[in-house]
Structure formats: C-alpha cells, structure tokens
Amino acid sequence: MVPLPISVAPVTAAVVRNRGRCGDFAKVVAEFGPPGSGGVTEILCAVSEDRLPAEFLPPLTAGITEGLDGVAASVLIVGAVSHDTDSSDRAFRLAGWEAARAALIASGLVPESAAAELRWVDWPGRPRPKQPKRRKRGIPRSSGAS
C-alpha cells in the first residue's frame, strides 16, 4: 500500500440531488492524513449520531475506502449532515468516494486533471476551470467589415 504523503483538510463533499423535490442528500467533512505506524487505512468518526446516523456510516466508510483505491491514510470524519427523507446509502457512499479522490488529487497521487470529474466536493487548493469572459450588455459586437 502506498501511503498518503501529506495531510489534506478539510475536504467537504456535499451530494445534493434534491433541488426542489425529493432526491439524494449527504454532506461530509473529513480530514485526511498519512497513515499511522501500522501503515493501514484508519477511518474514525468524530460526529454525533444525530448528525450522522449509524446506518450511513458503513456506506460512507466503504466509499472512502473505494475512493482511496489502495492508498493508506488516516481519515477523521469531523462533520456530517443528513436529512430524514432524502439521505441514502448511495449519497453517503458517493460523498465518501469523492472526498477520498479529492484527497488523492490534493496530495499529488492523482493528476489535477481528474478534479474535473468530481462534482460534489471541495478542498483547499482545488483547481478551478477558467470561465469564459462574459460580454457586457449593450455593447455591440464588432463586425469584421470596415
């Protein structure tokens, strides 16, 4: 197992697929760091059960493990938000997977170009795609004819 070389914190994953109606919802904040002396992945949760119900912890940890893709790390889950109706195993698994991928990108183990595929996550130093400049309203476009 390759160890995570540096600490990455905080990584925030917010899966929100319920704008205006029912759908998936999960929000997780985690801190990723190099593994402990055993060199294996450790995932600890410092969030109360009223914020992260116990039923969502297994899919969240499974998503983190999948996202790390064999990289050893110590992970501390420091924040979470769930919704009685809209939260699901699928949403927490996706949030965990994206948070772990973000940690790999931030630590340099995965190329920054992979950040474009991550839709629901943010981390310090995340590369942002350049937005095209917007044309001011009321200014006519110049024509090629003189």
Side-chain angles (χ1 to χ4, degrees):
M1 261 191 181
V2 175
L4 191 71
I6 62 170
S7 294
V8 181
V11 176
T12 304
V15 176
V16 183
R17 292 189 201 181
N18 61 352
R19 304 219 186 236
R21 56 190 172 276
C22 294
D24 292 331
F25 176 82
K27 183 173 182 181
V28 177
V29 180
E31 298 176 355
F32 291 80
S37 59
V40 296
T41 298
E42 294 178 298
I43 303 173
L44 302 174
C45 182
V47 180
S48 64
E49 194 169 338
D50 62 324
R51 305 283 290 171
L52 178 61
E55 66 189 274
F56 297 130
L57 194 54
L60 175 60
T61 57
I64 291 171
T65 303
E66 283 176 25
L68 286 173
D69 196 27
V71 174
S74 61
V75 183
L76 179 62
I77 301 165
V78 295
V81 179
S82 66
H83 185 269
D84 293 339
T85 305
D86 294 332
S87 289
S88 65
D89 290 356
R90 178 177 59 181
F92 275 95
R93 187 180 199 104
L94 178 59
W97 185 86
E98 287 218 357
R101 299 306 291 174
L104 296 181
I105 293 167
S107 67
L109 294 175
V110 172
E112 281 189 3
S113 60
E117 73 184 37
L118 300 179
R119 178 177 178 187
W120 309 103
V121 69
D122 194 24
W123 66 92
R126 179 180 183 167
R128 303 276 183 215
K130 291 189 176 185
Q131 299 293 324
K133 290 187 177 182
R134 298 177 96 190
R135 188 172 67 85
K136 292 183 181 178
R137 291 180 181 237
I139 300 176
R141 293 182 184 218
S142 61
S143 62
S146 299

